Short mmCIF file of all heavy atoms in Angstrom, two decimals:
data_model
loop_
_atom_site.label_atom_id
_atom_site.label_comp_id
_atom_site.label_asym_id
_atom_site.label_seq_id
_atom_site.Cartn_x
_atom_site.Cartn_y
_atom_site.Cartn_z
N ARG J 138 -10.08 41.11 7.92
CA ARG J 138 -11.52 40.86 7.92
C ARG J 138 -12.16 41.03 6.55
O ARG J 138 -13.08 40.27 6.19
CB ARG J 138 -12.18 41.80 8.94
CG ARG J 138 -11.80 41.48 10.38
CD ARG J 138 -12.09 42.64 11.31
NE ARG J 138 -11.14 43.73 11.11
CZ ARG J 138 -11.32 44.98 11.55
NH1 ARG J 138 -12.44 45.28 12.18
NH2 ARG J 138 -10.40 45.90 11.35
N PHE J 147 -12.69 32.35 7.83
CA PHE J 147 -12.70 32.99 9.14
C PHE J 147 -11.46 33.87 9.27
O PHE J 147 -10.35 33.45 8.93
CB PHE J 147 -12.69 31.93 10.25
CG PHE J 147 -12.78 32.52 11.64
CD1 PHE J 147 -14.02 32.77 12.21
CD2 PHE J 147 -11.64 32.85 12.36
CE1 PHE J 147 -14.12 33.33 13.48
CE2 PHE J 147 -11.73 33.41 13.62
CZ PHE J 147 -12.99 33.65 14.18
N GLY J 148 -11.63 35.07 9.78
CA GLY J 148 -10.50 35.97 10.00
C GLY J 148 -10.59 36.63 11.36
O GLY J 148 -11.68 37.01 11.80
N LEU J 149 -9.45 36.74 12.03
CA LEU J 149 -9.39 37.38 13.34
C LEU J 149 -8.31 38.45 13.35
O LEU J 149 -7.18 38.19 12.91
CB LEU J 149 -9.05 36.34 14.42
CG LEU J 149 -8.70 36.89 15.81
CD1 LEU J 149 -9.95 37.42 16.51
CD2 LEU J 149 -8.01 35.83 16.67
N ARG J 150 -8.65 39.65 13.83
CA ARG J 150 -7.64 40.65 14.18
C ARG J 150 -7.64 40.76 15.69
O ARG J 150 -8.69 40.84 16.33
CB ARG J 150 -7.89 42.00 13.52
CG ARG J 150 -9.05 42.78 14.02
CD ARG J 150 -8.91 44.29 13.91
NE ARG J 150 -8.57 44.87 15.19
CZ ARG J 150 -7.51 45.64 15.42
NH1 ARG J 150 -6.68 45.96 14.46
NH2 ARG J 150 -7.27 46.12 16.61
N LEU J 198 -26.25 34.56 23.62
CA LEU J 198 -25.30 35.64 23.84
C LEU J 198 -26.02 36.99 23.71
O LEU J 198 -26.61 37.27 22.66
CB LEU J 198 -24.20 35.59 22.79
CG LEU J 198 -23.29 34.37 22.78
CD1 LEU J 198 -22.51 34.29 21.47
CD2 LEU J 198 -22.34 34.42 23.97
N LEU J 226 -29.41 33.18 13.94
CA LEU J 226 -28.77 33.05 15.25
C LEU J 226 -29.79 33.26 16.37
O LEU J 226 -29.75 32.57 17.39
CB LEU J 226 -27.64 34.07 15.38
CG LEU J 226 -26.45 33.88 14.45
CD1 LEU J 226 -25.47 35.05 14.59
CD2 LEU J 226 -25.73 32.56 14.75
N PHE J 276 -19.83 47.96 25.44
CA PHE J 276 -19.27 46.70 25.92
C PHE J 276 -19.33 46.56 27.43
O PHE J 276 -19.08 45.47 27.96
CB PHE J 276 -17.84 46.54 25.39
CG PHE J 276 -17.80 46.23 23.91
CD1 PHE J 276 -17.23 47.13 23.02
CD2 PHE J 276 -18.35 45.07 23.42
CE1 PHE J 276 -17.21 46.86 21.66
CE2 PHE J 276 -18.35 44.79 22.06
CZ PHE J 276 -17.78 45.68 21.18
N LEU J 281 -20.96 41.41 22.88
CA LEU J 281 -20.79 41.17 21.44
C LEU J 281 -21.54 42.21 20.62
O LEU J 281 -22.71 42.52 20.87
CB LEU J 281 -21.31 39.77 21.09
CG LEU J 281 -21.09 39.26 19.68
CD1 LEU J 281 -19.60 39.13 19.38
CD2 LEU J 281 -21.77 37.90 19.49
N LEU J 282 -20.84 42.73 19.60
CA LEU J 282 -21.42 43.61 18.60
C LEU J 282 -21.36 42.90 17.26
O LEU J 282 -20.32 42.34 16.89
CB LEU J 282 -20.64 44.94 18.52
CG LEU J 282 -20.95 45.86 17.35
CD1 LEU J 282 -22.39 46.38 17.42
CD2 LEU J 282 -19.96 47.04 17.31
N LEU J 283 -22.46 42.91 16.53
CA LEU J 283 -22.55 42.28 15.21
C LEU J 283 -22.82 43.35 14.15
O LEU J 283 -23.66 44.21 14.35
CB LEU J 283 -23.68 41.25 15.18
CG LEU J 283 -23.63 40.13 16.22
CD1 LEU J 283 -24.93 39.33 16.18
CD2 LEU J 283 -22.43 39.23 15.97
N THR J 284 -22.10 43.26 13.03
CA THR J 284 -22.33 44.15 11.89
C THR J 284 -21.99 43.36 10.62
O THR J 284 -21.38 42.29 10.69
CB THR J 284 -21.42 45.40 11.92
OG1 THR J 284 -20.10 45.07 11.46
CG2 THR J 284 -21.33 46.03 13.30
N PRO J 285 -22.35 43.86 9.44
CA PRO J 285 -21.73 43.32 8.24
C PRO J 285 -20.23 43.60 8.29
O PRO J 285 -19.78 44.57 8.90
CB PRO J 285 -22.40 44.11 7.10
CG PRO J 285 -23.66 44.67 7.71
CD PRO J 285 -23.33 44.92 9.15
N ALA J 286 -19.44 42.74 7.66
CA ALA J 286 -18.00 42.97 7.65
C ALA J 286 -17.61 44.05 6.66
O ALA J 286 -16.67 44.81 6.89
CB ALA J 286 -17.26 41.67 7.32
N PRO J 315 -10.71 43.80 19.52
CA PRO J 315 -10.55 42.60 18.69
C PRO J 315 -11.81 42.39 17.87
O PRO J 315 -12.92 42.71 18.30
CB PRO J 315 -10.37 41.48 19.72
CG PRO J 315 -11.16 41.94 20.90
CD PRO J 315 -11.00 43.44 20.94
N ALA J 316 -11.65 41.84 16.68
CA ALA J 316 -12.80 41.63 15.81
C ALA J 316 -12.54 40.43 14.92
O ALA J 316 -11.40 40.12 14.58
CB ALA J 316 -13.06 42.88 14.96
N ALA J 317 -13.62 39.76 14.57
CA ALA J 317 -13.52 38.58 13.71
C ALA J 317 -14.56 38.68 12.61
O ALA J 317 -15.53 39.43 12.70
CB ALA J 317 -13.75 37.31 14.54
N CYS J 318 -14.34 37.89 11.58
CA CYS J 318 -15.29 37.80 10.47
C CYS J 318 -15.50 36.34 10.16
O CYS J 318 -14.53 35.56 10.11
CB CYS J 318 -14.75 38.53 9.25
SG CYS J 318 -15.80 38.32 7.78
N LEU J 319 -16.74 35.95 9.96
CA LEU J 319 -17.03 34.58 9.54
C LEU J 319 -18.12 34.61 8.47
O LEU J 319 -18.85 35.59 8.33
CB LEU J 319 -17.41 33.70 10.73
CG LEU J 319 -18.55 34.10 11.65
CD1 LEU J 319 -19.91 33.74 11.07
CD2 LEU J 319 -18.38 33.43 13.00
N GLY J 331 -19.67 38.50 4.66
CA GLY J 331 -19.13 38.23 5.97
C GLY J 331 -19.92 38.87 7.10
O GLY J 331 -20.45 39.99 6.97
N LEU J 332 -20.00 38.15 8.22
CA LEU J 332 -20.57 38.67 9.46
C LEU J 332 -19.42 39.09 10.37
O LEU J 332 -18.49 38.31 10.61
CB LEU J 332 -21.41 37.59 10.16
CG LEU J 332 -21.94 37.91 11.56
CD1 LEU J 332 -22.91 39.10 11.51
CD2 LEU J 332 -22.63 36.69 12.17
N HIS J 333 -19.49 40.31 10.88
CA HIS J 333 -18.42 40.93 11.66
C HIS J 333 -18.78 40.82 13.14
O HIS J 333 -19.88 41.21 13.55
CB HIS J 333 -18.34 42.40 11.23
CG HIS J 333 -17.14 43.15 11.68
ND1 HIS J 333 -17.16 44.52 11.85
CD2 HIS J 333 -15.88 42.77 11.99
CE1 HIS J 333 -15.97 44.94 12.22
NE2 HIS J 333 -15.18 43.90 12.32
N LEU J 334 -17.87 40.28 13.96
CA LEU J 334 -18.07 40.15 15.40
C LEU J 334 -17.01 40.98 16.11
O LEU J 334 -15.82 40.83 15.84
CB LEU J 334 -17.93 38.70 15.84
CG LEU J 334 -19.03 37.70 15.51
CD1 LEU J 334 -19.09 37.41 14.02
CD2 LEU J 334 -18.79 36.39 16.27
N VAL J 335 -17.42 41.83 17.02
CA VAL J 335 -16.50 42.70 17.75
C VAL J 335 -16.74 42.49 19.24
O VAL J 335 -17.89 42.37 19.68
CB VAL J 335 -16.70 44.19 17.40
CG1 VAL J 335 -15.62 45.05 18.04
CG2 VAL J 335 -16.70 44.38 15.88
N ALA J 336 -15.65 42.44 20.02
CA ALA J 336 -15.75 42.22 21.47
C ALA J 336 -14.93 43.27 22.20
O ALA J 336 -14.24 44.09 21.59
CB ALA J 336 -15.27 40.82 21.83
N LEU J 344 -13.86 36.02 22.53
CA LEU J 344 -14.41 36.29 21.20
C LEU J 344 -14.38 35.03 20.35
O LEU J 344 -15.35 34.73 19.64
CB LEU J 344 -13.63 37.42 20.52
CG LEU J 344 -13.99 37.71 19.05
CD1 LEU J 344 -15.45 38.10 18.91
CD2 LEU J 344 -13.09 38.79 18.48
N LEU J 345 -13.29 34.26 20.43
CA LEU J 345 -13.23 33.02 19.67
C LEU J 345 -14.26 32.02 20.17
O LEU J 345 -14.86 31.28 19.38
CB LEU J 345 -11.83 32.43 19.74
CG LEU J 345 -10.76 33.15 18.92
CD1 LEU J 345 -9.39 32.50 19.11
CD2 LEU J 345 -11.12 33.17 17.44
N MET J 347 -17.17 32.79 21.45
CA MET J 347 -18.45 33.25 20.91
C MET J 347 -18.54 32.98 19.41
O MET J 347 -19.60 32.60 18.90
CB MET J 347 -18.64 34.74 21.21
CG MET J 347 -18.84 35.05 22.69
SD MET J 347 -19.23 36.79 23.06
CE MET J 347 -17.61 37.56 22.85
N ALA J 348 -17.42 33.15 18.71
CA ALA J 348 -17.42 32.89 17.27
C ALA J 348 -17.70 31.43 16.97
O ALA J 348 -18.41 31.11 16.00
CB ALA J 348 -16.07 33.30 16.68
N ARG J 349 -17.19 30.52 17.79
CA ARG J 349 -17.47 29.09 17.58
C ARG J 349 -18.96 28.81 17.75
O ARG J 349 -19.55 28.03 17.00
CB ARG J 349 -16.65 28.24 18.53
CG ARG J 349 -15.18 28.22 18.21
CD ARG J 349 -14.42 27.18 19.00
NE ARG J 349 -14.73 25.82 18.52
CZ ARG J 349 -14.02 24.76 18.83
NH1 ARG J 349 -12.97 24.86 19.63
NH2 ARG J 349 -14.36 23.57 18.37
N VAL J 351 -21.43 30.97 17.30
CA VAL J 351 -22.11 31.56 16.15
C VAL J 351 -21.92 30.70 14.91
O VAL J 351 -22.87 30.42 14.15
CB VAL J 351 -21.59 32.99 15.92
CG1 VAL J 351 -22.05 33.53 14.56
CG2 VAL J 351 -22.04 33.91 17.05
N GLU J 352 -20.70 30.26 14.69
CA GLU J 352 -20.36 29.45 13.52
C GLU J 352 -21.18 28.16 13.48
O GLU J 352 -21.65 27.75 12.42
CB GLU J 352 -18.87 29.14 13.61
CG GLU J 352 -18.20 28.61 12.38
CD GLU J 352 -16.70 28.48 12.67
OE1 GLU J 352 -16.31 27.68 13.54
OE2 GLU J 352 -15.94 29.19 12.00
N LEU J 355 -24.59 28.62 12.07
CA LEU J 355 -24.68 29.15 10.71
C LEU J 355 -24.05 28.17 9.71
O LEU J 355 -22.97 28.45 9.19
CB LEU J 355 -23.97 30.50 10.61
CG LEU J 355 -24.63 31.69 11.30
CD1 LEU J 355 -23.76 32.93 11.13
CD2 LEU J 355 -26.02 31.95 10.73
#
Side-chain angles (χ1 to χ4, degrees):
R138 293 162 288 164
F147 183 88
L149 169 73
R150 70 151 258 124
L198 296 165
L226 294 174
F276 288 115
L281 187 63
L282 169 65
L283 303 172
T284 79
C318 174
L319 55 81
L332 173 63
H333 193 206
L334 287 69
V335 187
L344 173 60
L345 287 178
M347 292 186 284
R349 290 191 72 166
V351 168
E352 194 175 64
L355 289 178

